[in-house]
């Protein structure tokens, strides 16, 4: 059974810092890995999707990497802003289209 | 493109009543839709997968007679919580996919409170 773990569970940083969120998964037989953002009481916003054959994806200040063999992914946020405060979820997709989510990292960026 | 809506965004119901939540794909046809449940400060847990025109597949531990899922068209799936109890209070999120293996697009969620 696939298990997804995110570290840290919570993170508070001052504005402007670069930061790294970590995601690990137990079964490397995945099709892709996706990073989402969730604001309190809201749904999910997809940030980046990395196919199993890819090593990284970039969108603006966000960069996600994938090391499938070691079961790890990182989300790098450059020059963090207060508007980046949210919960960040990673999810892996295995056979059958099923997504398995990690527990999330709650990020607070202080002005 | 790839917008998914949910209705209602929040609902309060009394214990013992039933409540229906709708999930719609607004600009694409979704052959597969998924229903997730999220308790406070926890992650999303898949409840069931539904394919248009067929019965839903429920995850282990999810009561199919309590959580009725209908996916009668390519743009609409409904989740009915029957005989709701306070422990059913949660945030319910749906997602839709154009086909098996394609990316899932998520709805904004429905907050259910059972009093």
């Amino acid at each position: 059974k696939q298990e997804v773990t995110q570290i840290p569970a919570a993170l508070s940083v001052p504005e402007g810092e670069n930061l790294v969120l970590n995601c690990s998964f137990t079964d490397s037989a995945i099709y892709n890995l996706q990073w989402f953002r969730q604001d309190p009481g809201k749904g999910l916003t997809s940030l980046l999707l990395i196919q199993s054959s890819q090593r990284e994806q970039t969108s603006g200040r966000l960069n996600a990497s994938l090391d499938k063999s070691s079961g790890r992914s990182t989300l790098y946020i450059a020059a963090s802003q207060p508007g980046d405060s949210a919960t960040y979820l990673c999810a892996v997709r295995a056979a059958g289209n099923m997504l398995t989510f990690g527990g999330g990292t709650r990020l607070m960026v202080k002005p | 493109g790839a917008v998914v809506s949910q209705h209602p965004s929040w609902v309060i119901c009394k214990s013992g009543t039933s409540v229906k939540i709708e999930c719609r794909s607004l600009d694409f046809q979704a052959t597969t839709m998924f229903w997730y449940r999220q308790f406070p400060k926890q992650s999303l847990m898949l409840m069931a997968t539904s394919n248009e025109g067929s019965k839903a597949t429920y995850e282990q531990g999810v009561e199919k007679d309590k959580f009725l899922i209908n996916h009668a068209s390519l743009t609409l799936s409904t989740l009915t919580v029957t005989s709701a109890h306070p422990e059913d209070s949660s945030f319910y999120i749906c997602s839709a996919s154009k086909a098996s293996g394609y990316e899932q697009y998520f709805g904004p969620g429905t907050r259910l409170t059972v009093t």
Side-chain angles (χ1 to χ4, degrees):
Chain A
K1 178 185 174 185
Q2 179 73 270
E3 293 184 1
V4 181
T5 303
Q6 290 187 244
I7 295 173
L11 183 62
S12 180
V13 300
E15 181 178 6
E17 274 203 7
N18 302 323
L19 53 98
V20 175
L21 308 182
N22 297 289
C23 173
S24 62
F25 46 97
T26 55
D27 187 349
S28 61
I30 65 169
Y31 285 95
N32 59 48
L33 182 145
Q34 200 163 358
W35 283 92
F36 295 90
R37 169 186 173 138
Q38 185 177 33
D39 293 289
K42 304 294 184 181
L44 304 182
T45 300
S46 179
L47 298 174
L48 292 164
L49 186 152
I50 311 175
Q51 299 294 348
S52 62
S53 59
Q54 298 176 318
R55 298 284 294 183
E56 66 177 344
Q57 283 283 342
T58 298
S59 176
R61 293 182 294 108
L62 305 179
N63 176 277
S65 67
L66 174 64
D67 185 341
K68 183 181 165 185
S69 60
S70 68
R72 295 179 182 177
S73 176
T74 60
L75 178 66
Y76 176 83
I77 302 177
S80 58
Q81 303 171 357
D84 295 331
S85 299
T87 295
Y88 291 81
L89 296 164
C90 77
V92 297
R93 186 171 82 80
N97 214 31
M98 178 176 172
L99 283 179
T100 302
F101 283 84
T105 293
R106 292 188 300 282
L107 173 65
M108 172 70 71
V109 181
K110 297 175 288 185
Chain B
V3 180
V4 176
S5 70
Q6 283 185 240
H7 178 80
S9 56
W10 60 270
V11 58
I12 302 173
C13 70
K14 293 185 177 180
S15 185
T17 63
S18 296
V19 61
K20 180 184 288 187
I21 303 170
E22 293 185 348
C23 176
R24 293 181 185 273
S25 56
L26 299 184
D27 53 1
F28 68 99
Q29 293 186 326
T31 59
T32 307
M33 287 186 169
F34 304 83
W35 287 96
Y36 296 84
R37 180 166 53 184
Q38 184 179 34
F39 291 108
K41 295 189 177 181
Q42 294 187 26
S43 193
L44 280 73
M45 296 298 294
L46 179 66
M47 298 175 66
T49 303
S50 72
N51 292 295
E52 187 265 339
S54 61
K55 291 184 178 181
T57 301
Y58 290 81
E59 295 301 303
Q60 191 173 11
V62 178
E63 300 175 56
K64 62 180 181 181
D65 294 329
K66 181 172 182 60
F67 298 99
L68 302 179
I69 293 173
N70 183 282
H71 191 169
S73 79
L74 286 171
T75 59
L76 173 65
S77 176
T78 59
L79 168 67
T80 301
V81 183
T82 62
S83 186
H85 290 282
E87 56 265 32
D88 298 324
S89 298
S90 186
F91 194 54
Y92 292 87
I93 302 178
C94 74
S95 70
S97 177
K98 295 176 183 178
S100 180
Y102 281 65
E103 183 175 354
Q104 294 181 31
Y105 301 98
F106 285 80
T110 297
R111 171 75 58 193
L112 170 64
T113 301
V114 184
T115 61

